[in-house]
């Protein structure tokens, strides 16, 4: 890992100071808490219903295999929804004003076979701090198989990455369950990375191993004990994770890996050209901001610009905050990347993957 980049400290455009004033005044004048309210509580109930009811139906009733797979797909949709709405706000401390509630809701990442510590380090620390900076933002890392930035190593098979990448996206949470968490735990603890109050390495590894065992017991062993054939259980497990993985991966990629966003490179001394807030504008994009279904289901991740600037504010407020961010960015002559539809964002991501797959031209 290279030395961590440092951001400029003086914002000559006064962008973030002006924006903060407008955002804070909005909450103060309307006497609104920045955390979640009944809307996110209702959404939590709905998403857990979508996720858990099919599971109990599969355990309780005999059915054709195709019907089980349809329920597994529905579980995957609920699983992704929980990740984007409940877990995400919880681990950012935005779900509730009460810390213990955020801790419980953040812990729903175990539903996705993930790990709280790993996710908080990768997402809250590395991704939110060093957004789209190659070698520091691990959301841009996919081994050698996918090339997400112009500065990443190029291999001949990357010419086809726009064709195979979407197929691999579905493996996201499946990899969490099997390998990724163990690799990240080893790497992060060795580097003494943490988010919030540090924990002992022994404690972190103990939680990881115990939660993986419990996860396997609930989602693999219990269905087999209920009389479901082992191969149906394993295929259903994979289908559930593949569904969740492809939803989560595509949503994540549309925010940062598109033609419109930048991948800034630190200077010789590790310095970045812009302040952290302005950096977020250059490296992040919104999509389908007026689509009520996307706003509801993605947990505001289609308002990624607002989320990166205000990760501790619940996503239920992003629609309103977006008005202030867009206005202030325009006044300061700064970019505000926004796709009107999900389709246009996916097309941009596809074209960007294809362009990055071409052999770089020697300077």
């Amino acid at each position: 890992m290279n030395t961590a980049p440092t951001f400029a400290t003086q914002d000559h455009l006064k962008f973030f100071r002006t924006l903060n004033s407008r955002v804070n005044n909005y909450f103060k004048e309307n006497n609104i808490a920045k955390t979640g309210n009944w809307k996110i509580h209702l959404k939590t109930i709905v998403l857990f219903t979508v996720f858990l009811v099919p599971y109990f139906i599969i355990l309780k009733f005999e059915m054709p295999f195709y019907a089980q797979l349809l329920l597994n797909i529905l579980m995957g949709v609920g699983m992704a929804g929980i990740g984007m709405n409940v877990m995400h706000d919880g681990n950012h401390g935005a779900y509730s004003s009460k810390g213990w509630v955020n801790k419980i809701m953040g812990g729903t990442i175990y539903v996705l076979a993930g790990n709280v510590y790993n996710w908080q380090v990768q997402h809250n620390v590395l991704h939110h701090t060093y957004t789209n900076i190659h070698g520091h933002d691990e959301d841009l890392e996919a081994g050698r198989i996918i090339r997400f930035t112009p500065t990443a190593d190029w291999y001949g098979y990357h010419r086809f990455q726009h064709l195979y990448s979407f197929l691999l996206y579905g493996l996201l949470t499946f990899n969490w369950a099997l390998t990724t968490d163990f690799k990240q735990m080893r790497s992060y603890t060795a580097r003494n990375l943490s988010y919030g109050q540090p924990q002992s390495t022994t404690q972190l590894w103990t939680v990881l191993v115990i939660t993986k065992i419990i996860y396997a017991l609930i989602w693999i062993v219990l269905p087999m004990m209920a009389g479901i054939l082992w191969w149906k259980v394993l295929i259903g497990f994979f289908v559930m994770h593949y569904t969740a993985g492809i939803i989560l991966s595509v949503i994540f990629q549309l925010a940062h890996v598109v033609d419109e966003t930048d991948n800034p490179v630190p200077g010789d001394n590790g310095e970045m050209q812009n302040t952290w807030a302005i950096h977020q504008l250059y490296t992040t994009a919104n999509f389908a901001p007026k689509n009520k279904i996307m706003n509801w289901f993605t947990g505001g991740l289609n308002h990624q610009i607002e989320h990166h600037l205000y990760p501790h504010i619940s996503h239920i407020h992003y629609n309103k905050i977006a008005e202030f961010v867009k206005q202030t960015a325009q006044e300061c002559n700064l970019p505000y990347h926004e796709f009107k539809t999900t389709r246009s964002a996916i097309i941009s991501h596809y074209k960007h993957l294809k362009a990055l797959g071409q052999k770089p031209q020697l300077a």
Side-chain angles (χ1 to χ4, degrees):
M1 177 63 66
N2 299 325
T3 302
T6 56
F7 293 93
T9 56
Q10 289 190 342
D11 178 3
H12 65 283
L13 300 174
K14 299 181 180 179
F15 164 72
F16 207 35
R17 185 186 305 173
T18 302
L19 178 61
N20 276 334
S21 176
R22 288 170 175 170
V23 170
N24 290 331
N25 285 339
Y26 164 74
F27 285 102
K28 183 178 180 179
E29 291 171 1
N30 292 279
N31 194 28
I32 300 173
K34 294 181 179 180
T35 49
N37 55 27
W38 67 268
K39 294 179 181 179
I40 197 172
H41 303 155
L42 177 60
K43 188 186 295 192
T44 301
I45 294 172
V46 171
L47 291 171
F48 267 98
T49 299
V50 172
F51 176 60
L52 291 177
V53 169
Y55 174 71
F56 292 118
I57 292 176
I58 291 173
L59 291 182
K60 182 70 175 178
F61 301 102
E62 292 187 10
M63 64 187 71
F65 187 44
Y66 76 86
Q68 177 193 320
L69 292 182
L70 290 176
L71 290 175
N72 289 135
I73 291 173
L74 186 59
M75 291 169 65
V77 173
M79 184 176 166
I82 291 170
M84 293 184 290
N85 292 271
V86 184
M87 180 277 289
H88 194 246
D89 267 29
N91 277 318
H92 275 296
Y95 188 99
S96 170
S97 59
K98 297 178 175 60
W100 65 270
V101 175
N102 286 320
K103 189 172 183 178
I104 291 174
M105 296 307 170
T108 59
I109 192 173
Y110 296 114
V111 165
L112 284 73
N115 176 269
V116 169
Y117 166 75
N118 287 336
W119 192 89
Q120 288 182 336
V121 171
Q122 177 181 339
H123 185 81
N124 292 10
V125 178
L126 301 179
H127 173 63
H128 271 267
T129 305
Y130 308 114
T131 311
N132 269 27
I133 301 177
H134 176 71
H136 299 276
D137 180 358
E138 291 193 0
D139 279 14
L140 299 174
E141 301 296 331
R144 296 181 177 182
I145 194 68
I146 305 175
R147 187 170 186 257
F148 281 137
T149 69
T151 51
D153 292 336
W154 180 87
Y155 298 93
Y157 51 78
H158 286 146
R159 292 190 181 95
F160 310 103
Q161 68 174 14
H162 59 292
L163 301 176
Y164 64 72
S165 292
F166 285 86
L167 296 175
L168 296 178
Y169 286 166
L171 300 177
L172 174 67
T173 60
F174 189 73
N175 285 337
W176 284 357
L178 297 180
T179 60
T180 304
D181 273 333
F182 295 96
K183 293 178 180 178
Q184 288 184 331
M185 182 69 71
R186 184 167 56 250
S187 172
Y188 296 162
T189 54
R191 293 155 57 189
N192 293 319
L193 296 178
S194 64
Y195 178 79
Q197 185 175 357
Q199 302 177 60
S200 70
T201 300
T202 301
Q203 181 181 357
L204 291 171
W205 275 106
T206 300
V207 170
L208 177 64
V209 172
I210 290 176
T211 53
K212 294 297 182 184
I213 293 173
I214 294 174
Y215 192 85
L217 291 174
I218 294 174
W219 301 107
I220 297 178
V221 176
L222 185 57
M224 291 182 185
M225 292 177 63
I228 303 174
L229 294 176
W230 67 269
W231 60 271
K232 290 185 178 181
V233 172
L234 294 182
I235 292 176
F237 180 79
F238 179 80
V239 167
M240 176 185 72
H241 273 279
Y242 194 85
T243 301
I246 201 162
I247 292 172
L248 292 169
S249 294
V250 171
I251 295 299
F252 293 160
Q253 302 304 343
L254 301 187
H256 301 289
V257 188
V258 289
D259 281 339
E260 285 70 10
T261 54
D262 293 345
N263 293 104
V265 178
D268 293 337
N269 296 322
E271 75 282 359
M272 302 300 298
Q273 180 178 354
N274 294 307
T275 60
W276 173 85
I278 292 178
H279 175 86
Q280 303 307 315
L281 296 179
Y282 279 98
T283 58
T284 311
N286 290 354
F287 67 93
K290 302 301 182 182
N291 188 313
K292 292 183 179 179
I293 295 177
M294 294 303 293
N295 281 332
W296 189 91
F297 180 64
T298 65
L301 292 182
N302 60 327
H303 281 286
Q304 192 76 194
I305 296 173
E306 287 68 41
H307 171 60
H308 268 256
L309 291 172
Y310 296 102
H312 298 300
I313 295 180
S314 175
H315 70 267
I316 63 173
H317 304 295
Y318 289 164
N319 260 333
K320 184 61 182 179
I321 291 177
E323 299 175 12
F324 304 127
V325 178
K326 191 171 186 177
Q327 174 190 351
T328 310
Q330 290 174 342
E331 290 173 354
C332 294
N333 197 29
L334 291 170
Y336 186 86
H337 303 306
E338 183 177 69
F339 297 97
K340 300 302 181 184
T341 65
T342 304
R343 178 176 175 271
S344 60
I346 291 176
I347 291 173
S348 179
H349 175 59
Y350 176 86
K351 290 180 177 179
H352 194 57
L353 283 178
K354 187 174 183 179
L356 289 172
Q358 304 308 304
K359 186 175 182 179
Q361 298 297 318
L362 296 178

